[in-house]
Amino acid sequence: MQKPSKLAQIPQIRFSGFTDPWERCKLGEVAENTYGGGTPQTSVDSFWNGDIPWIQSQNIIENQLFDVVPQKYISEEAVLKSATKLIPKNSIAIVTRVGVGKLAFMQFSYCTSQDFLSLSGIRIDKKFAVYSIYKMLQKEKENVQGTSIKGITIEELLSKNIELPCNNAEQTKIGELFANLDKLITLHQSKFEKLQKIKKSCLQNLFPQNNQNTPKIRFKNFSDEWENNNLGEICKIIKGEQINKLSLFENGKYYVLNGGISPSGYINTYNTLENTISISEGGNSCGYVKFNIEKFWSGGHNYTLNELKTKTLFLYSFLKAKQQKIMALRVGSGLPNIQKNTLSNISISIPNSEEQEKIGAFFSKLDKLISLQQRKVEKLKNIKKALLNKMLI
């Protein structure tokens, strides 16, 4: 590796005790060897189901830089008789075409498709190298070449500059910091996904399924059959009022729901009170059920449920359990929508008021836990993003 050129640059945030300027080198200089990849013929059975992991772009998960789970394996014969190469463990696999910008540190020997450049024999701290290359790729993603398949050539990639401390100890500290931060993000993401699975299971088991009159799981001391009603019999379904896009602001006191999952803008007046259930009327998200804890403006492609004869949180949870079926009621191809009459005829099973209260409160607490966990994940991701900008040049 040639000695990098010195730069009068230092990151905004550094560990105590490090003051030397960082240095610049080409990406191709940080590795002893580089490898491309290839795809063995799928029609040759003896090439497949061997012991060698064969990695595709889809196996590299965005931001999961150290956790790759192989889905396909090839044989030694495939390596000998195809363009793919056997790459040593502790190499860095970088996606250069489909999914350009993703990368992962590979803790095992592997082969890849032609959509990769792999670096082996890393000459600098390996974890620092992963995060330094990751940051560089984020800058390059918007400038990749190609039309139907965006990508970057291996030659272009190897010529890119990366900045690094000349002190190996500083490289190690930075690499360890980001690796530990990623572990924390993965841990909280796993908790978030687990809570989502728990909610999905509860939605399936705490409400009647397949035209049954009772759910599979119930709270203690409840045994009566649930009563069947149509949605239109237990509430008024009100279509919102269209608002001119020119009247919307990026910031305003009240958000506007107009057929999507997220607000389409903001205004300084409202037409719907807080704690109201809404169902998207039109667009790709039609049928999406939302509980609105704030006053808002219900737009022309949005329904709200008013004058409920059930507990609000119970009905919201019931409709969330049926959301996929509600979405399946859409009609039209260009701009799909759900007709009000169709929505009115949705069958709703209702227990007594006390059981409604318990079910609604249970899902409300569960939703709060999920939201809290999601915010933790987002906060950690924002911390990581900030540190990448301030601790790496």
Side-chain angles (χ1 to χ4, degrees):
M1 178 177 177
Q2 296 179 354
K3 185 173 179 59
S5 61
K6 287 195 173 183
L7 295 173
Q9 292 192 55
I10 58 173
Q12 295 180 50
I13 298 176
R14 300 184 81 171
F15 286 101
S16 177
F18 300 104
T19 58
D20 292 338
W22 283 29
E23 300 175 335
R24 170 176 292 172
C25 69
K26 301 295 184 185
L27 179 60
E29 296 175 325
V30 305
E32 293 179 3
N33 298 295
T34 61
Y35 297 84
T39 302
Q41 283 183 278
T42 56
S43 59
V44 181
D45 292 341
S46 60
F47 286 177
W48 297 91
N49 300 316
D51 298 321
I52 302 170
W54 184 72
I55 306 300
Q56 297 173 276
S57 174
Q58 63 202 52
N59 303 138
I60 309 295
I61 307 301
E62 191 82 39
N63 298 322
Q64 293 185 14
L65 307 183
F66 294 89
D67 299 301
V68 177
V69 179
Q71 300 296 320
K72 295 183 179 181
Y73 292 80
I74 60 175
S75 64
E76 292 183 8
E77 181 186 358
V79 177
L80 292 172
K81 296 181 179 180
S82 75
T84 196
K85 304 289 189 297
L86 183 61
I87 304 163
K89 65 179 181 180
N90 298 328
S91 297
I92 299 174
I94 305 171
V95 180
T96 59
R97 291 209 300 173
V98 182
V100 62
K102 297 190 295 184
L103 78 159
F105 182 77
M106 308 296 292
Q107 302 179 58
F108 47 82
S109 299
Y110 64 101
C111 296
T112 73
S113 72
Q114 59 273 25
D115 295 332
F116 285 83
L117 165 68
S118 291
L119 309 177
S120 74
I122 307 300
R123 294 184 170 113
I124 61 177
D125 181 86
K126 294 179 176 62
K127 289 179 181 176
F128 176 85
V130 168
Y131 290 102
S132 181
I133 297 169
Y134 171 79
K135 181 180 179 181
M136 180 269 290
L137 288 172
Q138 300 312 300
K139 293 180 181 179
E140 297 297 328
K141 278 173 70 174
E142 295 181 358
N143 300 317
V144 293
Q145 300 299 312
T147 52
S148 59
I149 299 178
K150 290 185 176 181
I152 185 170
T153 68
I154 289 177
E155 292 75 18
E156 287 177 310
L157 190 55
L158 292 175
S159 68
K160 297 296 180 184
N161 293 320
I162 64 169
E163 324 289 342
L164 64 153
C166 54
N167 190 315
N168 289 338
E170 187 174 8
Q171 294 179 24
T172 299
K173 279 184 172 290
I174 294 171
E176 286 292 337
L177 170 69
F178 283 107
N180 289 332
L181 187 54
D182 267 346
K183 287 178 183 177
L184 194 58
I185 291 171
T186 299
L187 174 64
H188 284 286
Q189 181 69 33
S190 177
K191 289 181 180 179
F192 170 67
E193 291 170 357
K194 185 176 181 180
L195 284 169
Q196 286 185 310
K197 289 179 180 178
I198 289 172
K199 180 180 178 180
K200 182 178 180 180
S201 176
C202 288
L203 286 171
Q204 292 173 344
N205 291 296
L206 284 171
F207 295 104
Q209 303 292 324
N210 302 319
N211 298 318
Q212 297 295 311
N213 292 321
T214 56
K216 186 176 182 180
I217 298 175
R218 303 185 78 171
F219 288 99
K220 189 176 179 181
N221 298 326
F222 295 107
S223 58
D224 293 342
E225 289 189 354
W226 291 26
E227 295 183 2
N228 289 322
N229 296 266
N230 290 335
L231 182 61
E233 296 174 332
I234 59 173
C235 68
K236 283 189 175 181
I237 302 172
I238 307 297
K239 189 172 181 179
E241 302 172 60
Q242 191 65 36
I243 190 166
N244 194 313
K245 288 183 179 180
L246 298 176
S247 302
L248 300 180
F249 306 103
E250 289 187 9
N251 296 297
K253 194 171 182 181
Y254 306 102
Y255 60 84
V256 176
L257 277 185
N258 199 36
I261 294 174
S262 302
S264 56
Y266 295 84
I267 56 174
N268 292 319
T269 186
Y270 65 90
N271 62 3
T272 308
L273 295 174
E274 63 270 31
N275 300 323
T276 298
I277 302 168
S278 62
I279 302 177
S280 174
E281 180 268 349
N284 292 330
S285 301
C286 64
Y288 181 80
V289 181
K290 179 179 175 66
F291 184 70
N292 302 272
I293 62 174
E294 303 173 8
K295 297 181 179 73
F296 69 101
W297 184 276
S298 178
H301 293 292
N302 192 66
Y303 293 119
T304 55
L305 309 186
N306 300 280
E307 300 181 24
L308 306 187
K309 297 179 182 179
T310 65
K311 300 294 182 180
T312 304
L313 292 176
F314 166 81
L315 181 58
Y316 168 68
S317 299
F318 188 100
L319 293 171
K320 288 301 283 187
K322 304 294 182 183
Q323 182 167 276
Q324 293 305 314
K325 290 184 178 180
I326 296 173
M327 286 183 158
L329 299 174
R330 63 181 62 186
V331 293
S333 54
L335 183 66
N337 67 92
I338 294 178
Q339 299 293 315
K340 184 176 177 178
N341 288 341
T342 304
L343 203 59
S344 296
N345 290 324
I346 292 175
S347 179
I348 305 291
S349 298
I350 304 173
N352 64 44
S353 179
E354 187 179 354
E355 190 170 5
Q356 290 180 41
E357 193 77 45
K358 281 189 173 290
I359 292 172
F362 170 79
F363 280 107
S364 178
K365 290 179 181 178
L366 187 55
D367 281 340
K368 288 176 183 177
L369 280 175
I370 292 171
S371 295
L372 177 62
Q373 196 61 43
Q374 186 176 27
R375 286 196 296 271
K376 286 181 180 179
V377 172
E378 292 304 317
K379 184 176 181 180
L380 287 168
K381 287 181 177 179
N382 288 335
I383 290 172
K384 177 184 174 182
K385 183 178 180 179
L387 289 177
L388 281 169
N389 288 330
K390 294 182 178 181
M391 297 191 73
L392 297 175
I393 299 174

